[in-house]
Amino acid sequence: MAKEIENLWREVRELSLGTKIDRFDSQPSPVKFLRNYVSQSKPCIISKAITHWPALKLWSDPAYLTGALSDDVVSLHLTPNGCADAVTGDSDLCFASAHVEKVLFPEALKVVQSSCKGLKVGYLQQQNDCFRTEYSTVALDCDGDIEWATEAFGCSPEAVNLWIGTDDSVTSFHKDHYENLYAVVSGEKHFLLLPPTDVHRLYIEQYPAANYSYHRLEVEEPVRHVPWSSVDPYPSPEKEASERLKFPLFFDGPKPFHCTVKAGEVLYLPSMWFHHVSQTPGDGGYTIAVNYWYDMQFDIKYAYFNFLQSLSYKSSSLNPILSWGEDEDSESSDAEV
Amino acid sequence: MAKEIENLWREVRELSLGTKIDRFDSQPSPVKFLRNYVSQSKPCIISKAITHWPALKLWSDPAYLTGALSDDVVSLHLTPNGCADAVTGDSDLCFASAHVEKVLFPEALKVVQSSCKGLKVGYLQQQNDCFRTEYSTVALDCDGDIEWATEAFGCSPEAVNLWIGTDDSVTSFHKDHYENLYAVVSGEKHFLLLPPTDVHRLYIEQYPAANYSYHRLEVEEPVRHVPWSSVDPYPSPEKEASERLKFPLFFDGPKPFHCTVKAGEVLYLPSMWFHHVSQTPGDGGYTIAVNYWYDMQFDIKYAYFNFLQSLSYKSSSLNPILSWGEDEDSESSDAEV
């Protein structure tokens, strides 16, 4: 089984994905987007997708945002380490969610900007359509949808989320059951991407859900388990050797696709792709992104994924039979749509 | 493994395919065709897709065709039983191909019309772009492509094939590495369809290639093996019991999708779908179809298929664990695009 699964990882790269994320300058037609990316479950980056948004100029200035949103209450996610929705702990691992506070925007932004890892990290986000519910005051600074994507998917976005954070905040590997158009407005977002075919490489396990109450992590009662990836792609130097031993399918297999999405750019992240997200702040001292979730199709690709996930990766020997010898650079490339 | 594979058969039907082939009245837009069918690897039938073709009226009259093609040499496929490209034989099974003769069209059509099973069955076909090479005289009676499909796939057809036969000719279960738009011009075509997920149910084995030389079947020297489905979905009454015992995954699993494509209709048959084709003649005493093969994408769906095919269906008990209790009618249904 190990051999067949590894062949799948290899073949999807050789036949379809290549080693770099396609990148092009102007927005694709809905037909080309569907044909070359959605149908094939293939990410791409569009460079000049949102150059007409007022937000691109306005939102780098904290004074503009705090003025415009002076009376708006928003969801502020607080953790000691910037790792919300992540597997946390030294021995008794759990799935830790942030402490969420409803705060007036100017105060919330101050907390984000003064984040200090190990003490208190603030991240303005809420994946419940927060851009349209909490930030409606500045809604007109962006488009309400990504027009060519709406035409391609045949529906309006199911949710639009806003993200304001610093390089202290990191989102751990996970997948979403949505088609995702991810627009960066200020700063840069760094993605590690793995296709759904690589599900075994993420070591998804069941972890008890826990919530931060300031610095204390409280496991939910009654216990609720959350399936989540065990892999931290950037372990600390002292942990690296042991992490590599624990997760060889991740560390010794094909490299994740790596891409940086800059202000003004949009990443198409297909449904069911695993992604890990970190960020570099822009001029305002923060990174801002708006992402559009469109309903996905639960089609043959999804059925194949569930089938693959239901199988155990079993090597015939004691060690996995990984035989990867890549040294390609997997930054994104230029491509024609 | 058997359980997981059977779950895949079930899930792709429950989530995506349903029990009937979608059918609609007018041609879809390229975007809707890509979104709802190509991307999802889902067949559909378009009823009024080629009503403007002169061929629809003209080709039911044998006198028109023999007049128009009086000087054209065409490829006539001859078998004793109407089963070309099929597993044949009583004990030493082989993959039998027809005897192909180049004949003037009027003579060839006579052979097709006077086909007699057990003696000599003629089928006018050649899957090498024969419509554009051998039948160019009547090319203007049809469109050179299916316009909305060409726009969706972003390319012209790689091959266009013509098929003229009677109910004596049957095409056995197989798949093609092309996206297929199959237009019926005269009579009816009957399809049995199975999705790529069901590959194990076709019992694909390696058979030595053989060619008919009139009634004699001559195995190729040196021996060349062809992978082909062992399953005849319509075994003769005396063979039925033994065939059901030999191929339980086919006969006891979910029913193939069944659809009839009538003159004037077009079937979209996604790449890698298994299909078995039989026919009912129209007024001229024959069935005529033109099919357009478009290049397929070797994408994640194709990689998943190869992965699935590389696995063995292994039941933990002596008998397969099939647990299907369908009695739905799987004729095609009406649907909105």
Side-chain angles (χ1 to χ4, degrees):
Chain A
M1 179 62 65
K3 189 170 127 276
E4 289 83 356
I5 292 177
E6 290 186 23
N7 277 343
L8 174 59
W9 304 341
R10 190 188 317 266
E11 193 170 65
V12 75
R13 287 167 171 78
E14 287 178 1
L15 292 177
S16 176
L17 303 176
T19 56
K20 296 167 195 227
I21 303 297
D22 282 0
R23 179 183 277 278
F24 37 91
D25 262 351
S26 58
Q27 54 189 55
S29 72
V31 161
K32 286 181 181 172
F33 178 55
L34 279 168
R35 180 204 302 143
N36 297 343
Y37 296 97
V38 180
S39 174
Q40 302 191 39
S41 188
K42 212 174 149 172
C44 62
I45 296 170
I46 302 96
S47 293
K48 292 174 187 161
I50 54 166
T51 37
H52 58 288
W53 285 11
L56 264 191
K57 284 190 181 157
L58 297 172
W59 291 9
S60 296
D61 177 8
Y64 168 79
L65 285 177
T66 49
L69 293 159
S70 58
D71 295 330
D72 293 285
V73 172
V74 297
S75 299
L76 175 63
H77 285 229
L78 294 166
T79 58
N81 54 12
C83 301
D85 293 348
V87 173
T88 308
D90 287 323
S91 53
D92 289 343
L93 296 175
C94 62
F95 174 77
S97 294
H99 175 72
V100 184
E101 282 188 7
K102 301 284 181 187
V103 186
L104 277 173
F105 179 81
E107 185 190 333
L109 188 63
K110 255 184 229 154
V111 175
V112 170
Q113 288 174 304
S114 63
S115 288
C116 177
K117 214 166 173 173
L119 281 175
K120 183 178 178 185
V121 176
Y123 199 3
L124 278 166
Q125 63 122 325
Q126 187 79 351
Q127 293 173 63
N128 64 350
D129 203 26
C130 73
F131 183 57
R132 296 192 288 204
T133 52
E134 299 183 351
Y135 294 85
S136 58
T137 313
V138 293
L140 293 179
D141 292 349
C142 307
D143 286 346
D145 66 349
I146 304 290
E147 201 183 340
W148 42 271
T150 296
E151 200 181 325
F153 294 128
C155 56
S156 295
E158 183 62 23
V160 185
N161 302 312
L162 183 86
W163 311 73
I164 305 181
T166 67
D167 50 3
D168 286 331
S169 284
V170 169
T171 303
S172 64
F173 262 121
H174 69 287
K175 65 178 180 345
D176 298 309
H177 289 68
Y178 287 103
E179 303 286 354
N180 200 343
L181 274 294
Y182 201 105
V184 176
V185 177
S186 187
E188 295 179 350
K189 288 274 185 176
H190 312 289
F191 288 84
L192 293 181
L193 303 175
L194 280 174
T197 49
D198 290 31
V199 58
H200 294 89
R201 301 182 57 210
L202 276 307
Y203 296 85
I204 294 168
E205 305 290 345
Q206 297 286 338
Y207 293 99
N211 299 286
Y212 280 109
S213 169
Y214 299 94
H215 278 71
R216 266 193 42 218
L217 204 43
E218 294 174 350
V219 173
E220 286 183 20
E221 294 282 356
V223 175
R224 176 176 69 92
H225 280 89
V226 177
W228 208 260
S229 171
S230 311
V231 175
D232 176 0
Y234 301 119
S236 59
E238 60 268 26
K239 278 193 174 179
E240 187 170 341
S242 68
E243 295 285 294
R244 286 184 160 276
L245 279 176
K246 275 197 282 185
F247 309 120
L249 301 187
F250 180 81
F251 287 102
D252 301 339
K255 282 187 207 165
F257 295 84
H258 175 261
C259 62
T260 290
V261 186
K262 296 180 185 172
E265 298 182 336
V266 168
L267 168 68
Y268 165 57
L269 178 60
S271 56
M272 310 303 287
W273 270 67
F274 295 95
H275 49 291
H276 175 282
V277 195
S278 55
Q279 46 202 323
T280 306
D283 292 341
Y286 43 68
T287 311
I288 308 186
V290 180
N291 88 284
Y292 299 78
W293 267 342
Y294 288 85
D295 281 338
M296 67 174 284
Q297 296 289 348
F298 293 91
D299 61 8
I300 198 171
K301 298 188 278 288
Y302 180 75
Y304 272 131
F305 170 80
N306 283 342
F307 167 69
L308 174 65
Q309 191 172 31
S310 75
L311 305 177
S312 304
Y313 175 101
K314 275 188 200 140
S315 173
S316 49
S317 67
L318 279 175
N319 293 313
I321 58 170
L322 282 173
S323 54
W324 293 88
E326 296 183 311
D327 46 17
E328 304 95 342
D329 177 8
S330 62
E331 263 292 342
S332 57
S333 69
D334 290 317
E336 291 294 315
V337 196
Chain B
M1 179 61 65
K3 188 170 127 275
E4 289 83 356
I5 292 178
E6 290 185 24
N7 277 343
L8 174 59
W9 304 341
R10 191 187 318 265
E11 193 170 64
V12 74
R13 286 166 172 78
E14 286 177 1
L15 292 177
S16 175
L17 302 176
T19 55
K20 297 168 195 225
I21 303 297
D22 282 359
R23 177 184 278 280
F24 36 91
D25 262 352
S26 58
Q27 55 187 54
S29 72
V31 162
K32 287 182 181 172
F33 177 55
L34 278 168
R35 178 204 303 144
N36 297 343
Y37 297 97
V38 180
S39 173
Q40 303 191 39
S41 189
K42 210 173 150 173
C44 60
I45 295 171
I46 303 98
S47 294
K48 292 173 187 161
I50 55 167
T51 38
H52 58 288
W53 286 10
L56 263 192
K57 284 189 181 158
L58 297 172
W59 291 9
S60 295
D61 177 9
Y64 168 79
L65 284 177
T66 49
L69 294 159
S70 59
D71 296 330
D72 293 287
V73 172
V74 296
S75 297
L76 175 63
H77 284 229
L78 295 167
T79 57
N81 55 11
C83 301
D85 292 349
V87 173
T88 307
D90 287 324
S91 53
D92 289 345
L93 295 174
C94 62
F95 174 76
S97 294
H99 175 72
V100 183
E101 282 188 7
K102 301 285 180 184
V103 186
L104 277 173
F105 179 80
E107 187 190 334
L109 188 63
K110 255 185 229 157
V111 175
V112 171
Q113 290 175 303
S114 63
S115 286
C116 176
K117 214 165 174 175
L119 281 174
K120 185 180 178 183
V121 176
Y123 199 2
L124 279 166
Q125 64 123 322
Q126 186 79 354
Q127 293 175 62
N128 63 352
D129 203 26
C130 73
F131 183 57
R132 296 193 288 205
T133 53
E134 298 183 351
Y135 295 85
S136 58
T137 313
V138 293
L140 293 179
D141 292 348
C142 306
D143 285 347
D145 65 349
I146 304 290
E147 201 181 340
W148 43 270
T150 296
E151 200 180 324
F153 295 128
C155 57
S156 296
E158 182 64 22
V160 185
N161 301 312
L162 183 84
W163 311 73
I164 307 180
T166 67
D167 50 3
D168 286 332
S169 284
V170 169
T171 303
S172 64
F173 262 121
H174 70 288
K175 64 177 180 344
D176 298 308
H177 289 68
Y178 287 103
E179 303 285 356
N180 200 342
L181 274 296
Y182 202 104
V184 177
V185 177
S186 187
E188 295 179 349
K189 289 274 187 177
H190 312 289
F191 288 83
L192 292 180
L193 303 175
L194 281 174
T197 49
D198 290 31
V199 57
H200 294 89
R201 302 182 57 211
L202 275 307
Y203 296 86
I204 294 168
E205 304 289 346
Q206 297 286 337
Y207 293 99
N211 299 285
Y212 280 109
S213 168
Y214 299 95
H215 277 71
R216 266 195 40 220
L217 204 44
E218 294 174 350
V219 173
E220 286 183 21
E221 294 280 358
V223 175
R224 175 176 69 92
H225 281 89
V226 177
W228 208 258
S229 171
S230 310
V231 175
D232 176 0
Y234 300 119
S236 59
E238 61 268 26
K239 278 191 172 177
E240 187 170 340
S242 67
E243 295 285 293
R244 285 184 161 276
L245 278 176
K246 275 196 283 185
F247 309 120
L249 302 186
F250 180 81
F251 287 103
D252 301 339
K255 281 187 206 166
F257 294 86
H258 175 261
C259 62
T260 290
V261 186
K262 296 179 186 174
E265 299 183 336
V266 168
L267 167 69
Y268 165 56
L269 178 60
S271 57
M272 309 303 287
W273 270 67
F274 295 95
H275 49 293
H276 175 281
V277 195
S278 55
Q279 44 202 325
T280 305
D283 292 340
Y286 43 67
T287 310
I288 308 186
V290 181
N291 88 283
Y292 299 78
W293 266 343
Y294 288 85
D295 281 339
M296 67 175 282
Q297 297 289 350
F298 293 91
D299 61 9
I300 199 171
K301 298 188 279 286
Y302 180 76
Y304 273 131
F305 170 80
N306 283 341
F307 167 67
L308 174 65
Q309 191 173 33
S310 75
L311 305 177
S312 304
Y313 174 102
K314 275 189 201 139
S315 173
S316 50
S317 67
L318 279 176
N319 294 312
I321 58 169
L322 282 173
S323 54
W324 292 89
E326 298 184 310
D327 46 16
E328 305 95 342
D329 176 8
S330 63
E331 262 294 342
S332 57
S333 69
D334 290 317
E336 289 295 313
V337 197

